[in-house]
């Protein structure tokens, strides 16, 4: 499998206004792919198209070669595309461990009748799940918070719980919408290391991030979006020095689109 995700000429409109304009992006397994651009550029909208929250009006989205364009968000998650949100979404009254267990259910082998008759199959499945949850808590340094309701956690820890929950579903593509937003410098460094390790497991990662230092040091490849359109694509070193990118970030009245 060459690409875990192929976004081909995708466009999305809201009330006739273009939010995503003919984007093509291909993510390889184990690759960390950055999506950057000014506020309102269409980054989250793109992620919403990939995860089935929106259906694009034009173009095609393929996951592991399968066309998932217009498929429901549930089905896309079951296939192995998992995400975190720009504004953290957790079950705030539930503990860290319970939140992560909830993530396992996307992938659970259980049938409805197993939970009624409590088969040995269900017991084995549950045991496996708890082991996975323990491992994930260890990986994210969350073990000491296992029983803590997530609403009582510091913000940085909440971000990690959300990521752990997504990983519990055993994704092959992990989609992160501003994972470092609201984190301090040390937390950002910790998270950067964790994201790198996740990619080393072979999981493709697509992330939106405004922290340029993090993006430039962590990602393998970047697409820069402005007004829904690609303005640059390439390795971090290329994108960083691209005059079109610098112009978009500084903001220019000049609509110079000769290149
Ligand atoms: N459900 C919607 N209905 C109408 N317009 C929308 C909807 N969702 C997003 N938009 C518009 O689409 C454009 C892109 O928004 P989007 O949230 O994708 O930007 P973004 O790049 O994620 O920005 P930020 O960096 O601020 O998160 C904006 O103009 C936004 O107002
Ligand atoms: Mg956004």
């Amino acid at each position: 499998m060459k690409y875990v995700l192929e976004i081909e000429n995708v466009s999305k409109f809201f009330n006739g206004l273009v939010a995503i304009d003919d984007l093509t992006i291909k993510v390889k397994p184990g690759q960390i792919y950055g999506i950057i651009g000014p506020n309102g550029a269409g980054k989250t909208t793109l992620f919403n198209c990939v995860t089935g929250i929106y259906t694009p009006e034009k173009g095609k989205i393929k996951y592991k070669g399968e066309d998932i364009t217009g498929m429901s968000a549930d089905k896309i998650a079951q296939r192995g595309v998992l995400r975190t949100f720009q504004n953290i979404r957790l079950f705030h009254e539930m503990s860290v461990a319970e939140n992560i267990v909830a993530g396992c259910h996307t992938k659970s082998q259980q049938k409805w009748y197993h939970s009624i008759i409590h088969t040995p199959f269900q017991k084995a499945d549950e045991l496996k799940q708890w082991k996975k949850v323990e491992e994930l808590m260890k990986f994210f340094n969350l073990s000491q918070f296992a029983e803590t309701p997530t609403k009582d956690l510091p913000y940085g820890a909440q971000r990690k719980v959300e990521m752990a929950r997504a990983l519990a579903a055993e994704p092959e593509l992990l989609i992160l919408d501003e994972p470092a937003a609201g984190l301090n410098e040390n937390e950002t460094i910790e998270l950067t290391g964790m994201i790198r390790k996740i990619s080393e497991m072979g999981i493709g990662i697509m992330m939106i991030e405004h922290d340029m230092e993090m993006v430039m040091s962590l990602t393998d490849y970047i697409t820069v979006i402005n007004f829904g359109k690609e303005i640059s694509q390439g390795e971090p070193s290329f994108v960083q020095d691209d005059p079109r990118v610098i112009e978009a970030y500084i903001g220019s009245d000049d609509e110079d689109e000769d290149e």
Side-chain angles (χ1 to χ4, degrees), residues 96-168:
V96 167
E98 285 166 340
N99 267 276
I100 301 174
V101 165
C104 295
H105 293 299
T106 319
K107 195 84 181 181
S108 175
Q109 306 285 313
Q110 286 190 33
K111 301 278 186 296
W112 63 271
Y113 49 86
H114 288 138
S115 61
I116 294 173
I117 52 180
H118 278 270
T119 61
F121 182 88
Q122 189 202 10
K123 285 225 177 74
D125 200 35
E126 266 176 22
L127 211 68
K128 231 169 69 190
Q129 277 184 12
W130 282 108
K131 240 183 117 181
K132 186 158 78 181
V133 171
E134 258 172 33
E135 279 168 16
L136 282 166
M137 287 192 297
K138 222 158 112 189
F139 178 81
F140 284 102
N141 294 324
L142 289 167
S143 303
Q144 75 270 33
F145 299 126
E147 310 293 329
T148 312
T150 54
K151 66 172 177 1
D152 297 334
L153 290 183
Y155 193 75
Q158 290 189 19
R159 283 235 171 255
K160 291 195 291 184
V161 177
E162 211 191 13
M163 210 181 286
R165 187 180 59 187
L167 280 180

Side-chain angles (χ1 to χ4, degrees), residues 2-207:
K2 189 160 184 215
Y3 297 108
V4 67
L5 182 74
E6 294 159 272
I7 299 169
E8 292 171 355
N9 305 103
V10 162
S11 297
K12 172 75 198 156
F13 300 87
F14 292 116
N15 311 316
L17 291 173
V18 69
I20 294 292
D21 194 353
D22 197 31
L23 287 183
T24 294
I25 288 166
K26 296 182 183 194
V27 184
K28 295 174 188 164
Q31 190 176 39
I32 307 180
Y33 202 113
I35 305 290
I36 64 172
N39 291 116
K43 305 179 297 294
T44 299
T45 301
L46 175 70
F47 280 13
N48 286 339
C49 288
V50 172
T51 54
I53 292 175
Y54 298 143
T55 301
E57 278 77 23
K58 286 188 194 161
K60 207 175 252 187
I61 300 171
K62 286 192 245 169
Y63 170 65
K64 297 202 293 179
E66 182 191 11
D67 190 348
I68 58 163
T69 325
M71 209 179 260
S72 74
D74 280 357
K75 280 199 179 135
I76 291 173
Q78 274 162 17
R79 274 168 172 70
V81 180
L82 273 294
R83 73 176 293 177
T84 63
F85 292 88
Q86 191 165 350
N87 304 304
I88 299 175
R89 293 189 193 176
L90 289 168
F91 303 113
H92 295 290
E93 303 295 330
M94 280 162 55
S95 72
V96 167
E98 285 166 340
N99 267 276
I100 301 174
V101 165
C104 295
H105 293 299
T106 319
K107 195 84 181 181
S108 175
Q109 306 285 313
Q110 286 190 33
K111 301 278 186 296
W112 63 271
Y113 49 86
H114 288 138
S115 61
I116 294 173
I117 52 180
H118 278 270
T119 61
F121 182 88
Q122 189 202 10
K123 285 225 177 74
D125 200 35
E126 266 176 22
L127 211 68
K128 231 169 69 190
Q129 277 184 12
W130 282 108
K131 240 183 117 181
K132 186 158 78 181
V133 171
E134 258 172 33
E135 279 168 16
L136 282 166
M137 287 192 297
K138 222 158 112 189
F139 178 81
F140 284 102
N141 294 324
L142 289 167
S143 303
Q144 75 270 33
F145 299 126
E147 310 293 329
T148 312
T150 54
K151 66 172 177 1
D152 297 334
L153 290 183
Y155 193 75
Q158 290 189 19
R159 283 235 171 255
K160 291 195 291 184
V161 177
E162 211 191 13
M163 210 181 286
R165 187 180 59 187
L167 280 180
E170 297 174 20
E172 284 179 65
L173 179 66
L174 182 64
I175 294 186
L176 308 172
D177 197 344
E178 301 195 25
L183 303 193
N184 66 35
E185 204 183 328
N186 283 336
E187 288 170 329
T188 303
I189 291 168
E190 185 197 22
L191 192 78
T192 301
M194 286 164 173
I195 294 173
R196 190 170 284 125
K197 273 190 194 150
I198 294 165
S199 79
E200 284 164 5
M201 297 171 198
I203 299 171
I205 296 173
M206 193 157 59
M207 60 185 277

